[in-house]
Amino acid sequence: QKEVEQNSGPLSVPEGAIASLNCTYSDRGSQSFFWYRQYSGKSPELIMSIYSNGDKEDGRFTAQLNKASQYVSLLIRDSQPSDSATYLCASGGRDDKIIFGKGTRLHILP
Amino acid sequence: DGGITQSPKYLFRKEGQNVTLSCEQNLNHDAMYWYRQDPGQGLRLIYYSQIVNDFQKGDIAEGYSVSREKKESFPLTVTSAQKNPTAFYLCASSIWGNTNQPQHFGDGTRLSIL
């Protein structure tokens, strides 16, 4: 059974600090990785895609991928109250399906 | 604006009733997906379609049916055989049915039992 594991949280981070969200995946054949943000009662919104080992930066967001350790992370710099949401990690592999984790709830403390 | 439109936003089902959730996209995406999300749970794949007139079962297809007669449309029917239909239903699409392509979601439909 292919799985994507995330700590459910909540992860509480002071405003202005760096929030670090982590994810592990079981399928070594996974080639693509995605981070989605989901506000309460809303649908998921894609915020980052990463395909190669290393870091990928987009504004305040940095995604990190380590395929050897089967580990993906998302860093949010200068955290804002509007970043409070559930963050879903997802991976795509050799078959037709993207596997989603259950998400980590992030709470930014004003 | 390009996007994915799901309707209705809220839907109520009576016992023994079939209901259909609409999903339309104008992104010219080949692949479309239906997921179910229960409170505190991840996304579970119901059905997906990579091309018109073809679709595959996901992990929880029992009690659901779909059609893909047009590229833009992928309606989901929740049949009376689905005994626990209360959930948040999400439709998604991607450029093509390759898992290297990210999926983009509609706003969702909340289904409840009357």
Side-chain angles (χ1 to χ4, degrees), chain A residues 28-67:
Chain A
R28 281 201 169 273
S30 294
Q31 300 168 359
S32 54
F33 304 88
F34 310 101
W35 283 100
Y36 290 82
R37 177 177 61 201
Q38 185 174 24
Y39 291 114
S40 181
K42 303 296 185 182
S43 63
E45 172 192 10
L46 178 71
I47 53 174
M48 291 286 283
S49 304
I50 187 166
Y51 303 95
S52 305
N53 276 331
D55 295 0
K56 179 181 177 183
E57 188 174 317
D58 184 0
R60 294 186 297 112
F61 298 99
T62 299
Q64 299 175 317
L65 174 60
N66 183 327
K67 289 186 178 180

Side-chain angles (χ1 to χ4, degrees), chain A residues 69-86:
Chain A
S69 300
Q70 296 177 241
Y71 182 90
V72 192
S73 64
L74 179 70
L75 302 178
I76 307 174
R77 289 182 299 282
D78 187 24
S79 296
Q80 303 297 309
S82 60
D83 295 326
S84 296
T86 296

